[in-house]
Amino acid sequence: MTSVDTGAGRSYVIERDFKGHQGRVFNRKRDIEMALRLGDIAPDFEAQTTHGPIKFHDWIGDSWAIIFSHPKDFTPVCTTELGYMAKLQPEFEKRNVKIIGLSADGVENHEAWAKDIEETQGAAPKYPIIGDTDLNVAKLYDMLPASASGDPSS
C-alpha cells in the first residue's frame, strides 16, 4: 500500500485491489473522487420527465429521494429493475421517499417503455423518468465523465 499526497489537502491510498480510502478510488489512468457522500446535498437540476418538467430540489420538497440511472430504455436488466421499483413504490411512499429514474433516451421513449415494463413485469412506473438526452444529469452526478458525448438513441 502506498500513500500519495497530492497537495491541497488531498491524499490517496493506492492498494493493489484498487479499493479507495476516505471516499477515493485510484484508477491506473487517473484518480477519481466520489461525487457524493452521505450528508451531502444532491446537485439540483432541471429536466424533462414523464411527469413534465421538474426542478429536482423543488420536486423533492421535504421528502427523501432515490435517483437511479439506466443507460438505455428497453434493455432487459433496466426493464426488470424499473418494474421492481414500481412494485416497491408504495413502501417508499410510506417512508416519505420519492423515486425518480434516469435514462439517456427521450421522454417519448420512456412512455412506451413504461407500457412494456407493465406488460413484462406486472407493474408500470408511476414515478417520473428523466429524459437525459444531453447527458447533463448523468455528468452532474459523475455517472459519466464530463467528456462523454454521443447520440443516446444509437
Side-chain angles (χ1 to χ4, degrees):
M1 182 177 345
T2 305
S3 178
V4 178
D5 184 357
T6 62
R10 293 185 178 153
S11 62
Y12 297 87
V13 174
I14 305 167
E15 297 178 354
R16 185 168 272 269
D17 61 359
F18 302 106
K19 289 183 181 173
H21 176 69
Q22 296 178 339
R24 311 253 195 247
V25 176
F26 181 81
N27 177 300
R28 288 182 181 171
K29 295 182 181 175
R30 66 181 189 281
D31 50 80
I32 304 168
E33 185 175 336
M34 289 177 57
L36 292 174
R37 293 185 178 89
L38 291 175
D40 285 353
I41 295 174
D44 196 14
F45 58 86
E46 294 181 19
Q48 292 297 319
T49 77
T50 52
H51 292 191
I54 65 159
K55 185 166 171 49
F56 189 55
H57 285 183
D58 292 344
W59 175 79
I60 294 171
D62 64 354
S63 300
W64 294 90
I66 296 174
I67 182 171
F68 59 103
S69 174
H70 296 282
K72 198 132 181 68
D73 294 359
F74 296 99
T75 59
V77 172
C78 299
T79 298
T80 57
E81 289 174 350
L82 268 73
Y84 188 73
M85 291 299 282
K87 292 175 186 175
L88 289 176
Q89 187 171 7
E91 293 301 317
F92 283 109
E93 288 171 347
K94 289 179 191 176
R95 293 159 178 85
N96 196 29
V97 177
K98 293 181 176 180
I99 301 171
I100 191 165
L102 171 73
S103 173
D105 288 318
V107 170
E108 60 284 347
N109 288 357
H110 297 344
E111 292 166 356
W113 189 26
K115 291 176 186 172
D116 180 66
I117 292 167
E118 181 174 30
E119 183 180 303
T120 61
Q121 305 306 307
K126 292 182 175 57
Y127 49 84
I129 304 172
I130 298 166
D132 193 26
T133 56
D134 56 9
L135 308 177
N136 283 340
V137 178
K139 290 177 184 181
L140 181 66
Y141 279 78
D142 279 341
M143 296 175 195
L144 292 173
S147 62
S149 63
D151 180 1
S153 63
S154 60

